[in-house]
Amino acid sequence: MPVVVVATMTAKPESVDLVRDACTQAIEAVHGEPGCQLYALHEADRTFVFVEQWADADALQTHSTAPAIGTLFGTIGEHLDGAPDIKMLAPVVAGDPAKGQLRP
C-alpha cells in the first residue's frame, strides 16, 4: 500500500537560496530510489514542502536512511528555522476516486 508523506521545512531568511539549491540537488537521487513514486518540491516564501509517495513502508524506511537524505539534512540543518515537520498521511477518498487521491 502506498505511503504519502508531506515534509515541510522553513528556511532562515538569509538561507532561502541555499535550502532551495540543496533540495533540488537531492531530487534526482531520490527519484532513483526504489519505491519512489512521487517526490515533488513546492515553495512559498521561506517554506519548502516535499509531497512524496512511496510504494510501501519499506521503501519509505529505505529512503529515510539513503545517502541523498543524509547529505541534504547535513547541508541544510543549520539553515532551517526550526525542525522539519514530517507527516505520513492516509488518504480520505471522496468524490471521484481518480481525483480524490494520489495515484502511482
Side-chain angles (χ1 to χ4, degrees), residues 18-100:
L18 183 147
V19 171
R20 181 188 307 106
D21 290 346
C23 287
T24 58
Q25 288 176 20
I27 289 173
E28 185 174 350
V30 173
H31 283 173
E33 291 176 14
C36 178
Q37 296 176 338
L38 176 70
Y39 193 75
L41 180 63
H42 301 78
E43 177 182 358
D45 300 317
R46 297 184 297 125
T47 301
F48 294 88
V49 179
F50 278 106
V51 178
E52 310 173 25
Q53 183 169 297
W54 297 92
D56 53 35
D58 289 340
L60 176 59
Q61 178 61 37
T62 299
H63 164 69
S64 70
T65 60
I69 295 307
T71 299
L72 173 61
F73 283 105
T75 301
I76 67 173
E78 67 187 63
H79 298 282
L80 296 180
D81 191 2
D85 179 36
I86 301 172
K87 290 186 171 43
M88 291 188 296
L89 307 174
V92 179
V93 181
D96 181 346
K99 295 179 183 179

